[in-house]
Amino acid sequence: MYELIFWGILFIATVVIESMTVQLISIWFSVGSAAAFIAAVFHAPLSVQLILFLVLSVLLLICTRPLVRKISTKPQPTNADALIGKAGIVTETIDNLQNRGRAKIDGLSWNARSTDSSLIEEGAAVKVVRLEGVTAYVERLMEAIPPSKS
């Protein structure tokens, strides 16, 4: 009876841990504890349950971990990354302290924030430095100085 409770608690704990992470950390131990639980249901000796848990967990870990790491290591760029370095026009004054501001970049309106926390007035030309979610971090473009008339 105690073995059933132990393997059941271990299974639930490893599933909860797995659900709280974005990487595959404890899924192999979940499978191993489930197999040991089933063995306990059929009254297998504790030594068989432990061996089944360890062998199955380690075997799954060794066989699948390299495949999982190979699949999940490369970040995928998005189409929005193409906006980095592009120019845009501020359509609503950018004020980081007030958490507001918008800019039209490549024909689309984006939430905008200044990279140096400076105030950038509506109508100013800006360049996209980075994107974080749906917010473009921009810096003011230097305006051309009109030639002097002498």
Side-chain angles (χ1 to χ4, degrees):
M1 179 68 173
Y2 292 113
E3 293 97 354
L4 288 173
I5 294 170
F6 174 77
W7 294 120
I9 289 172
L10 184 62
F11 175 77
I12 291 169
T14 55
V15 168
V16 168
I17 290 169
E18 188 63 44
S19 68
M20 292 172 29
T21 63
V22 293
Q23 296 179 345
L24 294 175
I25 301 291
S26 64
I27 191 72
W28 301 278
F29 303 106
S30 300
V31 173
S33 61
F37 181 85
I38 292 169
V41 167
F42 290 105
H43 306 291
L46 183 59
S47 59
V48 171
Q49 296 170 31
L50 286 171
I51 290 170
L52 187 60
F53 170 75
L54 290 173
V55 169
L56 192 55
S57 297
V58 170
L59 188 65
L60 285 171
L61 180 65
I62 290 170
C63 292
T64 59
R65 183 73 176 159
L67 296 173
V68 171
R69 294 187 88 200
K70 190 183 290 187
I71 291 170
S72 63
T73 56
K74 295 180 184 177
Q76 296 295 322
T78 64
N79 291 341
D81 291 333
L83 294 178
I84 296 173
K86 289 204 174 184
I89 300 293
V90 176
T91 57
E92 177 187 325
T93 299
I94 297 172
D95 185 350
N96 290 10
L97 293 176
Q98 297 291 325
N99 201 27
R100 66 183 181 102
R102 294 196 69 80
K104 191 168 191 173
I105 305 158
D106 209 23
L108 297 172
S109 180
W110 283 79
N111 289 327
R113 300 295 176 265
S114 169
T115 56
D116 60 2
S117 296
S118 64
L119 192 71
I120 303 176
E121 298 294 329
E122 185 176 337
V126 292
K127 179 177 84 170
V128 178
V129 175
R130 72 179 188 275
L131 297 172
E132 289 182 14
V134 295
T135 302
Y137 285 81
V138 298
E139 62 185 22
R140 183 187 300 268
L141 286 175
M142 295 303 232
E143 297 177 22
I145 301 171
S148 60
K149 296 182 182 177
S150 347

